Amino acid sequence: MNSGELPPDLVDCLRSARHVAVLTGAGVSAESGIPTFRDAQTGLWEKHDPMQLASPEGFEADPKLVWDWYQWRRKLLAETSPNAGHEALAEMAQHFDSFVLVTQNVDGLHERAGSKGVLELHGNIRRNICSRTFKPISENWMAEHAERRPPPSPHHPDGFARPDVVWFGEALDEATLEAAFAAAADCDLMLVAGTAGAVQPAASLPSIAHRAGARVLDVNPAATDISRSADWYLAGPGTQWLPTLARTAGDASRGPAGTGGEDL
Ligand code: OAD
């Protein structure tokens, strides 16, 4: 199937769906040059121990190592831009009554592409919080203490600045998670893109949507458990399929199914 062809029943679904929920993972940012976590050879967790770099215990054991690793990822991010997949998702939002974008990514590329109200389940790497109190730390404070690795916290004498991301063993923000569950339970169509579906609770969102009666579509170059249980699986990268889906949704919003999308 090439990028111009979508299954007819998927086109119908894109035309009739009113409430759409989206779950994205590292794969949607791969074509912006941000490494994924679990892809063989290139995945971050193929090369680094997640418990050392992405856990409170790892940070406690070697704050400088963890800080420097996140600073490397931040530098990488500063040099990248959203890709056609991020842009397609931002555009797609206008074609439905509701469109809730839930992401596991901490890179902020969805917002940079223009998506609004993104539910960032795992936080955002650009922000910093205190390692002891979890209170936000201002950019001014960070700039004033930039030479320290990691900078101290203004909120606790034994605290350090750390990225505002969810580490292994830490709880997700409750309100964000509830909003994500609600979007999955209330949608007609759940679009999943670029996730291996290996991390809970994010990985359960497609099955919540399915159980509530929604259709599920997965976009991924490599099939996952989510692809296998989805109503449609589009094999290929996000930059190939997401623009096609956005275009089709746009055609659909100009007219009901069967009109060929012409203005009425
Ligand atoms: P993974 O690295 O586990 O999975 C990335 C997925 O993207 C794989 O299924 C790839 O096949 C797919 N992929 C690769 N290139 C792609 C492309 N161009 N277009 C579309 N898909 C592509 O990343 P996540 O599923 O996002 O958590 O991982 C979930 C969480 O595990 C992350 O948020 C992170 C990690 O540990 C935390 O850091 C808390």
Side-chain angles (χ1 to χ4, degrees):
M1 194 182 295
N2 69 44
S3 65
E5 293 172 15
L6 295 175
D9 57 342
L10 172 55
V11 173
D12 285 345
C13 181
L14 285 166
R15 289 176 173 217
S16 59
R18 293 175 49 211
H19 304 286
V20 174
V22 182
L23 172 66
T24 65
V28 296
S29 296
E31 290 162 281
S32 291
I34 308 287
T36 62
F37 293 93
R38 294 178 183 78
D39 280 302
Q41 314 299 328
T42 56
L44 291 173
W45 297 158
E46 294 293 312
K47 297 183 187 156
H48 306 282
D49 176 2
M51 294 318 283
Q52 197 180 13
L53 296 172
S55 78
E57 296 78 12
F59 187 68
E60 185 79 18
D62 195 342
K64 182 173 172 297
L65 175 83
V66 176
W67 181 256
D68 284 351
W69 188 67
Y70 278 95
Q71 289 298 86
W72 166 74
R73 286 181 59 195
R74 284 168 165 159
K75 187 166 168 285
L76 206 65
L77 254 179
E79 291 160 1
T80 63
S81 310
N83 63 48
H86 297 107
E87 280 157 13
L89 288 171
E91 194 230 303
M92 212 185 285
Q94 62 188 297
H95 303 308
F96 300 96
D97 291 353
S98 73
F99 189 90
V100 181
L101 177 44
V102 182
T103 188
Q104 297 164 90
N105 299 346
V106 299
D107 56 31
L109 287 175
H110 285 304
E111 286 87 347
R112 280 172 62 190
S115 283
K116 302 274 182 272
V118 180
L119 298 175
E120 294 177 313
L121 286 180
H122 295 165
N124 191 308
I125 196 173
R126 284 173 303 173
R127 295 188 301 257
N128 290 286
I129 52 172
C130 168
S131 62
R132 291 295 172 113
T133 64
F134 297 92
K135 287 184 185 163
I137 299 181
S138 72
E139 287 185 17
N140 279 349
W141 174 275
M142 294 303 297
E144 282 162 20
H145 299 82
E147 80 291 350
R148 302 267 300 275
R149 294 157 55 197
S153 166
H155 303 301
H156 193 287
D158 299 325
F160 289 113
R162 57 158 275 190
D164 186 7
V165 299
V166 177
W167 280 338
F168 287 96
E170 292 184 330
L172 277 61
D173 178 73
E174 217 168 290
T176 308
L177 185 58
E178 264 173 35
F181 281 148
D186 292 342
C187 68
D188 313 313
L189 170 66
M190 171 138 224
L191 163 57
V192 182
T195 181
V199 171
Q200 295 292 353
S204 66
L205 292 173
S207 46
I208 290 172
H210 180 73
R211 276 200 302 277
R215 314 297 297 279
V216 178
L217 160 65
D218 189 36
V219 174
N220 197 316
T224 67
D225 285 347
I226 295 175
S227 333
R228 284 182 277 273
S229 58
D231 296 281
W232 302 280
Y233 166 48
L234 300 176
T239 53
Q240 176 186 348
W241 287 112
L242 296 174
T244 302
L245 293 168
R247 239 182 347 262
T248 306
D251 288 347
S253 72
R254 292 203 299 274
T259 65
E262 294 137 22
D263 290 327
L264 292 175

